[in-house]
Amino acid sequence: MKRHLLSAADLDLPDALLILDTAAELAAVADRPVKKLPTLRGRTVVNLFFEDSTRTRISFEAAAKRLSADVINFAAKGSSVSKGESLKDTALTLEAMGADAVVIRHSASGAPHRLATSGWIRGSVVNAGDGTHEHPTQALLDAFTMRRHLAGGVGDLAGLDVVIVGDVLHSRVARSNVLLLRTLGAKVTLIAPPTLLPVGVELWPCSVSYDLDSSLPTADVVMMLRVQRERMSAAYFPSAREYSRRYGLDVNRMKLLQPHTIVMHPGPMNRGMEIAAEVADSPRSVIVEQVTNGVSVRMAVLYLLLGGSELSDGSNGVPVSEGRPL
Ligand code: NCD
């Protein structure tokens, strides 16, 4: 494993499988009455969120706390200092406080990379979403969820047919998923109106289509993306109704899916726009489970990046798998 997790491309197949396997072991802890492990006792994890977040911030906080780390939540939104200075000054403060890991979400693509390569801090940097660029832990929790449902919870995702639908242009989730799913052997198709595809998408390791209906019957996974209005400065489609008609997943479209196919969404959802409420709440939907799995996956990432700590009994506080510590 590299010292930082900035991009899904930082993970080769052994790294990705190690995180997913570790997350599976750690998920067992969530079923215990006492959900805490002493693994990161004495370590400090800072959640540095320059952009709004519900799921990701709470999930990282829960993950760090379940590993007994000290957690500092820094809601940096609203700072009047210019972005470059703000990031540097904040980083120097975090370093002075002895942060072992900094989990950063920022509206500027590349901000986590800047933090990791600047020399301002010594700890590990985890990208929790940077602009329209990447969100690697979301891709990991998505892969974890697919593996549980469609691959028996083990190994890679070779041959899995995954369609990712919607506002790819503004989606850091889509980019990270394409990269990680390629590493794990899945076949990915992006489906979006031409206006919501990024320039250069033909160079991404996936196929691209404008037709949702023809891709649904063979899909194993349908991942719907939020239409990110807050990042839109122009009109990318004629109307919300027209968008839903062509690219929304409603009950009729859901009938085209195979019995085993799962429906995913990273949240927050625009119910009635990219996904109908009946679909979001249907038995095929694993959307709530994605949130649950996010905690286990982020525990695994923090554990592996920070290396755990030796306990007085010589163990590292992580569950033992088949007689060998992870
Ligand atoms: C995503 C994000 O913030 O990139 N949400 C998330 O992390 N759960 C997707 C989105 O905002 O639509």
Side-chain angles (χ1 to χ4, degrees):
M1 287 269 293
K2 295 187 176 173
R3 186 169 126 218
H4 309 290
L5 179 56
L6 306 177
S7 160
D10 289 339
L11 303 170
D12 59 15
L13 183 60
D15 286 342
L17 292 176
L18 177 64
I19 294 172
L20 296 176
D21 290 343
T22 306
E25 298 288 337
L26 291 168
V29 176
D31 299 330
R32 295 188 195 164
V34 178
K35 297 183 173 40
K36 233 173 153 102
L37 292 170
T39 319
L40 296 185
R41 202 160 51 193
R43 305 298 194 92
T44 301
V45 175
V46 178
N47 287 325
L48 184 59
F49 278 65
F50 288 84
E51 225 189 38
D52 293 343
S53 172
T54 307
R55 278 157 271 272
T56 306
R57 191 179 55 73
I58 293 174
S59 179
F60 269 110
E61 183 174 350
K65 285 183 170 163
R66 283 189 192 170
L67 293 172
S68 304
D70 294 322
V71 183
I72 299 173
N73 289 316
F74 190 114
K77 211 183 171 205
S79 162
S80 56
V81 193
S82 76
K83 268 183 192 156
E85 272 180 343
S86 165
L87 192 58
K88 179 172 182 180
D89 288 340
T90 311
L92 294 176
T93 307
L94 302 180
E95 180 61 17
M97 292 188 309
D100 296 295
V102 177
V103 177
I104 175 172
R105 167 167 289 199
H106 202 288
S107 59
S109 300
H113 190 263
R114 181 89 181 95
L115 200 58
T117 55
S118 60
W120 298 327
I121 56 166
R122 272 170 294 179
S124 292
V125 176
V126 181
N127 181 1
D130 63 328
T132 58
H133 181 227
E134 283 226 39
H135 194 354
T137 60
Q138 178 71 41
L140 283 163
L141 77 88
D142 291 338
F144 183 88
T145 308
M146 291 177 208
R147 187 160 94 142
R148 279 215 149 169
H149 281 269
L150 302 165
V154 290
D156 61 20
L157 300 176
L160 210 67
D161 186 324
V162 182
V163 301
I164 302 180
V165 189
D167 185 358
V168 178
L169 178 65
H170 299 107
S171 179
R172 48 202 179 200
V173 175
R175 187 189 304 264
S176 288
N177 259 290
V178 167
L179 293 170
L180 183 68
L181 288 169
R182 190 255 318 250
T183 303
L184 291 169
K187 169 184 158 295
V188 181
T189 307
L190 297 174
I191 301 172
T195 48
L196 287 177
L197 285 168
V199 173
V201 72
E202 61 284 353
L203 300 175
W204 292 23
C206 60
S207 357
V208 176
S209 162
Y210 306 128
D211 181 17
L212 179 55
D213 289 339
S214 67
S215 304
L216 292 178
T218 51
D220 299 303
V221 177
V222 182
M223 184 185 296
M224 304 307 295
L225 299 173
R226 184 172 66 89
V227 176
Q228 302 198 23
R229 287 177 183 274
E230 80 278 16
R231 297 190 207 275
M232 292 186 185
S233 51
Y236 288 87
F237 44 84
S239 68
R241 224 175 117 161
E242 172 66 9
Y243 181 89
S244 296
R245 200 178 62 75
R246 292 206 51 187
Y247 296 99
L249 189 60
D250 60 13
V251 174
N252 282 331
R253 285 214 164 95
M254 194 165 65
K255 290 182 189 144
L256 299 173
L257 299 176
Q258 304 176 78
H260 69 265
T261 304
I262 56 171
V263 172
M264 306 180 78
H265 192 303
M269 290 182 271
N270 295 309
R271 284 172 181 255
M273 178 118 181
E274 70 266 0
I275 187 164
E278 298 89 326
V279 177
D281 299 329
S282 76
R284 287 183 184 282
S285 163
V286 295
I287 297 168
V288 177
E289 196 192 313
Q290 285 173 265
V291 180
T292 308
N293 292 341
V295 178
S296 309
V297 162
R298 286 164 180 136
M299 285 172 79
V301 167
L302 291 174
Y303 167 68
L304 291 167
L305 288 181
L306 296 182
S309 61
E310 291 290 316
L311 299 174
S312 51
D313 64 0
S315 77
N316 57 13
V318 153
V320 173
S321 163
E322 289 163 9
R324 84 194 141 78
L326 284 160

